[in-house]
Amino acid sequence: MKFKFTVALIALLLLPAVAGAVTGRDIMEQSEKRPTPGSAKSVVTMKIYKGGSPDEKQFTLSTKEYPDDEDKALIAFQKPTRIQLLTHAHKGKEDDQWIVLSSGKVKRIATADKGNAFVHSHFYYEDLGSRDIDAYEYDYLGDEKAVGVDCFKVQSVKTAAKDKVYDKTILYVRKSDYFIVRVDFYQDGKFHKFLENHDIRTVSDILTPFRVVMSLADGKARTELTVERVEYNLPIDDATFNKEALR
């Protein structure tokens, strides 16, 4: 299996077409076979809508795959803040995450804090990590339209986490190419928020959403991510992902 970071920060967006896949687990197992970039770097604009004028920020996202699924990602804001978030993915256990505040202080994100908002957006630290296929149970719930296209509907429940951020997520997988176009997130038994992928393009043979929107279930607030540019399989120095470099 592989841990997958996407240019839009949400994992498990890349799924291949699978003939005759009839269970949620079938779909997720096939997703592991799809080629993923060994590295990626993108420039992303974030707009946070909570009423009134949006709060706009811009950051770069750098990711790199390592042996044994120890993948790494760094979010580094350019404006208006200098906050950074470093994630080290681990197979079979929780990711390690550290945030560098504008003051320069480095803080480790505790497991109990994974449900906190990242830079006052509608993305949580949990949303910015990796996803281990074996850490979830999947149920195929049938077919349903999402974002205007026919989809398979798959329920995902994390099995072993002691501090779950979400009760479950519902994945809407586009039938034409098995690409996830929407994710519904549930907390405390209630529909909490949802993510939608738009403007999906092929870049270097990789399906890439250039606009991602995370909205609250009531529709009253949202965070939009727009990919300004992205490059795959480019050289990235390993030192980029060192915790000691976060100063």
Side-chain angles (χ1 to χ4, degrees):
M1 62 154 289
K2 293 181 179 180
F3 290 89
K4 299 175 182 178
F5 294 100
T6 72
V7 295
L9 312 178
I10 304 299
L12 273 183
L13 295 182
L14 306 178
L15 293 174
V18 183
V22 294
T23 72
R25 179 70 193 193
D26 289 337
I27 295 171
M28 297 305 151
E29 286 180 347
Q30 289 297 327
S31 77
E32 295 297 300
K33 298 179 181 179
R34 187 182 184 99
T36 56
S39 64
K41 189 166 186 177
S42 56
V43 177
V44 181
T45 297
M46 170 186 279
K47 291 184 179 181
I48 304 169
Y49 294 86
K50 294 183 178 180
S53 299
D55 180 13
E56 183 171 329
K57 309 175 190 290
Q58 189 172 80
F59 61 84
T60 60
L61 170 64
S62 303
T63 70
K64 191 170 183 178
E65 290 187 349
Y66 286 86
D68 301 318
D69 299 322
E70 297 287 313
D71 301 342
K72 299 177 182 179
L74 176 68
I75 296 171
F77 283 87
Q78 276 74 56
K79 60 179 184 180
T81 180
R82 306 299 291 182
I83 288 174
Q84 299 179 68
L85 178 70
L86 176 64
T87 300
H88 288 185
H90 303 295
K91 185 175 181 177
K93 62 179 182 178
E94 292 290 321
D95 295 348
D96 287 318
Q97 290 181 308
W98 299 270
I99 188 168
V100 184
L101 304 175
S102 296
S103 64
K105 180 181 178 182
V106 179
K107 176 185 176 184
R108 188 179 186 279
I109 305 300
T111 300
D113 294 331
K114 293 293 180 75
N116 291 347
F118 175 59
V119 295
H120 306 291
S121 75
H122 301 93
F123 287 88
Y124 302 159
Y125 292 101
E126 174 78 2
D127 304 327
L128 308 180
S130 64
R131 186 178 178 112
D132 181 352
I133 185 175
D134 294 321
Y136 295 81
E137 291 182 349
Y138 303 97
D139 290 301
Y140 172 54
L141 303 181
D143 302 340
E144 189 170 322
K145 278 189 177 290
V147 197
V149 298
D150 293 328
C151 297
F152 299 109
K153 186 176 180 180
V154 179
Q155 177 177 282
S156 169
V157 178
K158 204 167 190 178
T159 55
K162 63 179 181 180
D163 291 305
K164 291 184 182 179
V165 175
Y166 304 114
D167 303 335
K168 63 181 180 181
T169 56
I170 305 295
L171 314 176
Y172 295 83
V173 186
R174 190 165 63 181
K175 285 188 175 183
S176 62
D177 54 13
Y178 282 69
F179 190 90
I180 293 180
V181 295
R182 175 174 167 137
V183 183
D184 292 344
F185 300 85
Y186 286 77
Q187 280 188 335
D188 301 322
K190 298 179 180 179
F191 178 34
H192 175 59
K193 64 180 185 179
F194 63 97
L195 177 143
E196 291 184 337
N197 290 311
H198 302 276
D199 191 12
I200 299 166
R201 311 177 200 172
T202 301
V203 179
S204 300
D205 297 322
I206 296 169
L207 289 174
T208 305
F210 273 69
R211 181 169 169 265
V212 177
V213 183
M214 183 75 85
S215 304
L216 295 184
D218 60 12
K220 294 182 179 180
R222 70 188 188 277
T223 295
E224 296 185 1
L225 303 178
T226 301
V227 177
E228 307 296 345
R229 60 182 182 270
V230 60
E231 294 181 85
Y232 292 123
N233 298 315
L234 71 167
I236 301 179
D237 193 330
D238 290 339
T240 301
F241 307 103
N242 288 345
K243 178 192 171 187
E244 292 71 25
L246 294 177
R247 296 289 182 180

mmCIF file of all heavy atoms in Angstrom, residues 176-206:
data_model
loop_
_atom_site.group_PDB
_atom_site.id
_atom_site.type_symbol
_atom_site.label_atom_id
_atom_site.label_comp_id
_atom_site.label_asym_id
_atom_site.label_seq_id
_atom_site.Cartn_x
_atom_site.Cartn_y
_atom_site.Cartn_z
ATOM 1 N N SER A 176 -16.880 6.911 -14.039
ATOM 2 C CA SER A 176 -16.142 6.940 -15.302
ATOM 3 C C SER A 176 -14.666 6.628 -15.146
ATOM 4 O O SER A 176 -14.045 6.057 -16.044
ATOM 5 C CB SER A 176 -16.308 8.307 -15.973
ATOM 6 O OG SER A 176 -15.761 9.332 -15.154
ATOM 7 N N ASP A 177 -14.066 6.971 -13.985
ATOM 8 C CA ASP A 177 -12.633 6.736 -13.807
ATOM 9 C C ASP A 177 -12.249 6.446 -12.357
ATOM 10 O O ASP A 177 -11.076 6.395 -12.023
ATOM 11 C CB ASP A 177 -11.830 7.941 -14.305
ATOM 12 C CG ASP A 177 -12.277 9.251 -13.666
ATOM 13 O OD1 ASP A 177 -13.031 9.218 -12.664
ATOM 14 O OD2 ASP A 177 -11.890 10.323 -14.169
ATOM 15 N N TYR A 178 -13.229 6.260 -11.498
ATOM 16 C CA TYR A 178 -13.011 5.926 -10.092
ATOM 17 C C TYR A 178 -12.228 7.005 -9.334
ATOM 18 O O TYR A 178 -11.463 6.728 -8.422
ATOM 19 C CB TYR A 178 -12.322 4.557 -9.959
ATOM 20 C CG TYR A 178 -13.291 3.417 -10.148
ATOM 21 C CD1 TYR A 178 -13.842 3.164 -11.390
ATOM 22 C CD2 TYR A 178 -13.684 2.616 -9.075
ATOM 23 C CE1 TYR A 178 -14.757 2.151 -11.581
ATOM 24 C CE2 TYR A 178 -14.594 1.587 -9.243
ATOM 25 C CZ TYR A 178 -15.133 1.362 -10.510
ATOM 26 O OH TYR A 178 -16.047 0.347 -10.679
ATOM 27 N N PHE A 179 -12.491 8.230 -9.686
ATOM 28 C CA PHE A 179 -11.888 9.373 -9.002
ATOM 29 C C PHE A 179 -12.884 9.896 -7.967
ATOM 30 O O PHE A 179 -14.062 10.093 -8.275
ATOM 31 C CB PHE A 179 -11.562 10.463 -10.017
ATOM 32 C CG PHE A 179 -10.727 11.588 -9.473
ATOM 33 C CD1 PHE A 179 -9.345 11.530 -9.534
ATOM 34 C CD2 PHE A 179 -11.318 12.713 -8.914
ATOM 35 C CE1 PHE A 179 -8.570 12.572 -9.047
ATOM 36 C CE2 PHE A 179 -10.553 13.748 -8.423
ATOM 37 C CZ PHE A 179 -9.162 13.676 -8.485
ATOM 38 N N ILE A 180 -12.433 10.137 -6.753
ATOM 39 C CA ILE A 180 -13.325 10.635 -5.702
ATOM 40 C C ILE A 180 -13.634 12.110 -5.943
ATOM 41 O O ILE A 180 -12.734 12.940 -5.998
ATOM 42 C CB ILE A 180 -12.718 10.441 -4.305
ATOM 43 C CG1 ILE A 180 -12.614 8.954 -3.987
ATOM 44 C CG2 ILE A 180 -13.565 11.142 -3.241
ATOM 45 C CD1 ILE A 180 -12.024 8.648 -2.637
ATOM 46 N N VAL A 181 -14.928 12.423 -6.085
ATOM 47 C CA VAL A 181 -15.327 13.801 -6.356
ATOM 48 C C VAL A 181 -15.949 14.486 -5.142
ATOM 49 O O VAL A 181 -16.083 15.701 -5.118
ATOM 50 C CB VAL A 181 -16.305 13.867 -7.552
ATOM 51 C CG1 VAL A 181 -15.612 13.423 -8.832
ATOM 52 C CG2 VAL A 181 -17.566 13.042 -7.297
ATOM 53 N N ARG A 182 -16.312 13.678 -4.134
ATOM 54 C CA ARG A 182 -16.912 14.265 -2.938
ATOM 55 C C ARG A 182 -16.665 13.351 -1.742
ATOM 56 O O ARG A 182 -16.622 12.128 -1.876
ATOM 57 C CB ARG A 182 -18.423 14.488 -3.128
ATOM 58 C CG ARG A 182 -19.144 14.992 -1.861
ATOM 59 C CD ARG A 182 -20.593 15.349 -2.128
ATOM 60 N NE ARG A 182 -21.326 15.531 -0.871
ATOM 61 C CZ ARG A 182 -22.189 16.510 -0.632
ATOM 62 N NH1 ARG A 182 -22.443 17.410 -1.581
ATOM 63 N NH2 ARG A 182 -22.812 16.604 0.518
ATOM 64 N N VAL A 183 -16.485 13.983 -0.560
ATOM 65 C CA VAL A 183 -16.368 13.248 0.693
ATOM 66 C C VAL A 183 -17.260 13.927 1.724
ATOM 67 O O VAL A 183 -17.169 15.141 1.927
ATOM 68 C CB VAL A 183 -14.917 13.225 1.214
ATOM 69 C CG1 VAL A 183 -14.827 12.388 2.487
ATOM 70 C CG2 VAL A 183 -13.953 12.688 0.151
ATOM 71 N N ASP A 184 -18.129 13.151 2.365
ATOM 72 C CA ASP A 184 -18.970 13.643 3.457
ATOM 73 C C ASP A 184 -18.343 13.205 4.785
ATOM 74 O O ASP A 184 -17.966 12.040 4.945
ATOM 75 C CB ASP A 184 -20.389 13.073 3.376
ATOM 76 C CG ASP A 184 -21.160 13.586 2.174
ATOM 77 O OD1 ASP A 184 -20.737 14.588 1.565
ATOM 78 O OD2 ASP A 184 -22.197 12.973 1.836
ATOM 79 N N PHE A 185 -18.258 14.125 5.747
ATOM 80 C CA PHE A 185 -17.643 13.850 7.041
ATOM 81 C C PHE A 185 -18.707 13.894 8.137
ATOM 82 O O PHE A 185 -19.483 14.858 8.211
ATOM 83 C CB PHE A 185 -16.565 14.895 7.352
ATOM 84 C CG PHE A 185 -15.451 14.956 6.345
ATOM 85 C CD1 PHE A 185 -15.582 15.727 5.191
ATOM 86 C CD2 PHE A 185 -14.271 14.255 6.543
ATOM 87 C CE1 PHE A 185 -14.559 15.793 4.257
ATOM 88 C CE2 PHE A 185 -13.241 14.322 5.621
ATOM 89 C CZ PHE A 185 -13.387 15.079 4.467
ATOM 90 N N TYR A 186 -18.706 12.887 9.011
ATOM 91 C CA TYR A 186 -19.682 12.802 10.099
ATOM 92 C C TYR A 186 -18.976 12.867 11.451
ATOM 93 O O TYR A 186 -17.952 12.206 11.672
ATOM 94 C CB TYR A 186 -20.468 11.499 9.993
ATOM 95 C CG TYR A 186 -21.483 11.487 8.867
ATOM 96 C CD1 TYR A 186 -21.083 11.301 7.553
ATOM 97 C CD2 TYR A 186 -22.841 11.687 9.117
ATOM 98 C CE1 TYR A 186 -22.001 11.303 6.510
ATOM 99 C CE2 TYR A 186 -23.770 11.686 8.088
ATOM 100 C CZ TYR A 186 -23.344 11.505 6.786
ATOM 101 O OH TYR A 186 -24.262 11.512 5.759
ATOM 102 N N GLN A 187 -19.538 13.677 12.351
ATOM 103 C CA GLN A 187 -19.056 13.778 13.724
ATOM 104 C C GLN A 187 -20.229 13.654 14.679
ATOM 105 O O GLN A 187 -21.298 14.236 14.446
ATOM 106 C CB GLN A 187 -18.363 15.120 13.977
ATOM 107 C CG GLN A 187 -16.936 15.207 13.478
ATOM 108 C CD GLN A 187 -16.253 16.492 13.933
ATOM 109 O OE1 GLN A 187 -16.904 17.495 14.210
ATOM 110 N NE2 GLN A 187 -14.933 16.471 14.001
ATOM 111 N N ASP A 188 -20.033 12.911 15.751
ATOM 112 C CA ASP A 188 -21.062 12.763 16.793
ATOM 113 C C ASP A 188 -22.407 12.353 16.196
ATOM 114 O O ASP A 188 -23.469 12.831 16.619
ATOM 115 C CB ASP A 188 -21.215 14.061 17.590
ATOM 116 C CG ASP A 188 -19.911 14.482 18.250
ATOM 117 O OD1 ASP A 188 -19.174 13.594 18.723
ATOM 118 O OD2 ASP A 188 -19.621 15.694 18.285
ATOM 119 N N GLY A 189 -22.338 11.486 15.188
ATOM 120 C CA GLY A 189 -23.552 10.957 14.587
ATOM 121 C C GLY A 189 -24.257 11.893 13.628
ATOM 122 O O GLY A 189 -25.339 11.572 13.131
ATOM 123 N N LYS A 190 -23.652 13.044 13.356
ATOM 124 C CA LYS A 190 -24.298 14.035 12.492
ATOM 125 C C LYS A 190 -23.423 14.377 11.286
ATOM 126 O O LYS A 190 -22.197 14.343 11.366
ATOM 127 C CB LYS A 190 -24.611 15.317 13.279
ATOM 128 C CG LYS A 190 -25.575 15.120 14.429
ATOM 129 C CD LYS A 190 -25.809 16.436 15.168
ATOM 130 C CE LYS A 190 -26.777 16.260 16.332
ATOM 131 N NZ LYS A 190 -26.988 17.536 17.057
ATOM 132 N N PHE A 191 -24.074 14.717 10.171
ATOM 133 C CA PHE A 191 -23.394 15.200 8.981
ATOM 134 C C PHE A 191 -22.755 16.534 9.324
ATOM 135 O O PHE A 191 -23.436 17.493 9.659
ATOM 136 C CB PHE A 191 -24.407 15.326 7.846
ATOM 137 C CG PHE A 191 -23.855 15.873 6.557
ATOM 138 C CD1 PHE A 191 -22.563 15.589 6.151
ATOM 139 C CD2 PHE A 191 -24.647 16.667 5.736
ATOM 140 C CE1 PHE A 191 -22.061 16.099 4.953
ATOM 141 C CE2 PHE A 191 -24.163 17.171 4.546
ATOM 142 C CZ PHE A 191 -22.866 16.887 4.152
ATOM 143 N N HIS A 192 -21.425 16.607 9.248
ATOM 144 C CA HIS A 192 -20.692 17.767 9.754
ATOM 145 C C HIS A 192 -20.208 18.705 8.644
ATOM 146 O O HIS A 192 -20.390 19.925 8.713
ATOM 147 C CB HIS A 192 -19.506 17.284 10.579
ATOM 148 C CG HIS A 192 -18.602 18.370 11.067
ATOM 149 N ND1 HIS A 192 -19.051 19.400 11.877
ATOM 150 C CD2 HIS A 192 -17.274 18.610 10.859
ATOM 151 C CE1 HIS A 192 -18.052 20.213 12.147
ATOM 152 N NE2 HIS A 192 -16.966 19.756 11.542
ATOM 153 N N LYS A 193 -19.576 18.145 7.603
ATOM 154 C CA LYS A 193 -19.049 18.963 6.514
ATOM 155 C C LYS A 193 -18.818 18.077 5.297
ATOM 156 O O LYS A 193 -18.935 16.850 5.376
ATOM 157 C CB LYS A 193 -17.756 19.670 6.924
ATOM 158 C CG LYS A 193 -16.592 18.736 7.244
ATOM 159 C CD LYS A 193 -15.336 19.531 7.640
ATOM 160 C CE LYS A 193 -14.139 18.603 7.849
ATOM 161 N NZ LYS A 193 -12.905 19.336 8.202
ATOM 162 N N PHE A 194 -18.508 18.702 4.158
ATOM 163 C CA PHE A 194 -18.253 17.915 2.955
ATOM 164 C C PHE A 194 -17.218 18.600 2.079
ATOM 165 O O PHE A 194 -17.095 19.827 2.068
ATOM 166 C CB PHE A 194 -19.552 17.664 2.169
ATOM 167 C CG PHE A 194 -20.227 18.903 1.647
ATOM 168 C CD1 PHE A 194 -20.037 19.333 0.342
ATOM 169 C CD2 PHE A 194 -21.082 19.642 2.460
ATOM 170 C CE1 PHE A 194 -20.672 20.471 -0.148
ATOM 171 C CE2 PHE A 194 -21.723 20.781 1.989
ATOM 172 C CZ PHE A 194 -21.518 21.197 0.677
ATOM 173 N N LEU A 195 -16.468 17.776 1.360
ATOM 174 C CA LEU A 195 -15.445 18.248 0.442
ATOM 175 C C LEU A 195 -15.848 17.879 -0.980
ATOM 176 O O LEU A 195 -16.328 16.774 -1.223
ATOM 177 C CB LEU A 195 -14.097 17.612 0.781
ATOM 178 C CG LEU A 195 -12.918 17.942 -0.144
ATOM 179 C CD1 LEU A 195 -11.639 18.083 0.670
ATOM 180 C CD2 LEU A 195 -12.729 16.883 -1.224
ATOM 181 N N GLU A 196 -15.645 18.817 -1.917
ATOM 182 C CA GLU A 196 -15.911 18.545 -3.327
ATOM 183 C C GLU A 196 -14.704 18.929 -4.169
ATOM 184 O O GLU A 196 -14.066 19.956 -3.929
ATOM 185 C CB GLU A 196 -17.148 19.303 -3.811
ATOM 186 C CG GLU A 196 -18.443 18.794 -3.215
ATOM 187 C CD GLU A 196 -19.663 19.495 -3.775
ATOM 188 O OE1 GLU A 196 -19.525 20.627 -4.278
ATOM 189 O OE2 GLU A 196 -20.759 18.899 -3.712
ATOM 190 N N ASN A 197 -14.406 18.088 -5.168
ATOM 191 C CA ASN A 197 -13.312 18.338 -6.100
ATOM 192 C C ASN A 197 -13.870 18.830 -7.425
ATOM 193 O O ASN A 197 -14.789 18.223 -7.986
ATOM 194 C CB ASN A 197 -12.501 17.056 -6.328
ATOM 195 C CG ASN A 197 -11.699 16.663 -5.112
ATOM 196 O OD1 ASN A 197 -10.994 17.492 -4.534
ATOM 197 N ND2 ASN A 197 -11.806 15.411 -4.704
ATOM 198 N N HIS A 198 -13.312 19.919 -7.915
ATOM 199 C CA HIS A 198 -13.758 20.525 -9.172
ATOM 200 C C HIS A 198 -12.562 20.778 -10.088
ATOM 201 O O HIS A 198 -11.418 20.724 -9.659
ATOM 202 C CB HIS A 198 -14.470 21.854 -8.888
ATOM 203 C CG HIS A 198 -15.652 21.742 -7.989
ATOM 204 N ND1 HIS A 198 -16.906 21.399 -8.430
ATOM 205 C CD2 HIS A 198 -15.767 21.924 -6.637
ATOM 206 C CE1 HIS A 198 -17.750 21.390 -7.412
ATOM 207 N NE2 HIS A 198 -17.085 21.697 -6.312
ATOM 208 N N ASP A 199 -12.870 21.072 -11.348
ATOM 209 C CA ASP A 199 -11.842 21.405 -12.340
ATOM 210 C C ASP A 199 -10.727 20.354 -12.334
ATOM 211 O O ASP A 199 -9.544 20.662 -12.159
ATOM 212 C CB ASP A 199 -11.272 22.801 -12.054
ATOM 213 C CG ASP A 199 -10.398 23.329 -13.199
ATOM 214 O OD1 ASP A 199 -10.428 22.722 -14.287
ATOM 215 O OD2 ASP A 199 -9.684 24.330 -12.980
ATOM 216 N N ILE A 200 -11.130 19.108 -12.541
ATOM 217 C CA ILE A 200 -10.181 17.995 -12.497
ATOM 218 C C ILE A 200 -9.483 17.874 -13.849
ATOM 219 O O ILE A 200 -10.137 17.703 -14.873
ATOM 220 C CB ILE A 200 -10.912 16.687 -12.133
ATOM 221 C CG1 ILE A 200 -11.558 16.826 -10.749
ATOM 222 C CG2 ILE A 200 -9.939 15.513 -12.147
ATOM 223 C CD1 ILE A 200 -12.576 15.749 -10.433
ATOM 224 N N ARG A 201 -8.165 17.965 -13.826
ATOM 225 C CA ARG A 201 -7.365 17.911 -15.050
ATOM 226 C C ARG A 201 -6.326 16.797 -14.940
ATOM 227 O O ARG A 201 -5.980 16.355 -13.839
ATOM 228 C CB ARG A 201 -6.637 19.236 -15.291
ATOM 229 C CG ARG A 201 -7.508 20.478 -15.182
ATOM 230 C CD ARG A 201 -6.658 21.735 -15.358
ATOM 231 N NE ARG A 201 -7.313 22.920 -14.824
ATOM 232 C CZ ARG A 201 -6.737 24.111 -14.712
ATOM 233 N NH1 ARG A 201 -5.471 24.264 -15.111
ATOM 234 N NH2 ARG A 201 -7.393 25.142 -14.207
ATOM 235 N N THR A 202 -5.811 16.389 -16.099
ATOM 236 C CA THR A 202 -4.728 15.416 -16.133
ATOM 237 C C THR A 202 -3.409 16.152 -16.306
ATOM 238 O O THR A 202 -3.214 16.877 -17.287
ATOM 239 C CB THR A 202 -4.920 14.407 -17.274
ATOM 240 O OG1 THR A 202 -6.164 13.724 -17.092
ATOM 241 C CG2 THR A 202 -3.795 13.380 -17.278
ATOM 242 N N VAL A 203 -2.523 15.992 -15.327
ATOM 243 C CA VAL A 203 -1.200 16.614 -15.361
ATOM 244 C C VAL A 203 -0.166 15.497 -15.238
ATOM 245 O O VAL A 203 -0.158 14.772 -14.238
ATOM 246 C CB VAL A 203 -1.017 17.627 -14.211
ATOM 247 C CG1 VAL A 203 0.375 18.233 -14.243
ATOM 248 C CG2 VAL A 203 -2.089 18.707 -14.267
ATOM 249 N N SER A 204 0.653 15.332 -16.257
ATOM 250 C CA SER A 204 1.661 14.263 -16.249
ATOM 251 C C SER A 204 1.026 12.913 -15.922
ATOM 252 O O SER A 204 1.536 12.141 -15.102
ATOM 253 C CB SER A 204 2.784 14.582 -15.259
ATOM 254 O OG SER A 204 3.430 15.789 -15.582
ATOM 255 N N ASP A 205 -0.134 12.648 -16.545
ATOM 256 C CA ASP A 205 -0.877 11.390 -16.389
ATOM 257 C C ASP A 205 -1.518 11.218 -15.012
ATOM 258 O O ASP A 205 -1.963 10.125 -14.664
ATOM 259 C CB ASP A 205 0.018 10.177 -16.689
ATOM 260 C CG ASP A 205 0.514 10.162 -18.126
ATOM 261 O OD1 ASP A 205 -0.268 10.535 -19.025
ATOM 262 O OD2 ASP A 205 1.680 9.781 -18.346
ATOM 263 N N ILE A 206 -1.583 12.278 -14.224
ATOM 264 C CA ILE A 206 -2.172 12.203 -12.887
ATOM 265 C C ILE A 206 -3.398 13.104 -12.818
ATOM 266 O O ILE A 206 -3.315 14.304 -13.114
ATOM 267 C CB ILE A 206 -1.137 12.622 -11.816
ATOM 268 C CG1 ILE A 206 0.034 11.637 -11.812
ATOM 269 C CG2 ILE A 206 -1.783 12.693 -10.431
ATOM 270 C CD1 ILE A 206 1.212 12.091 -11.000
#
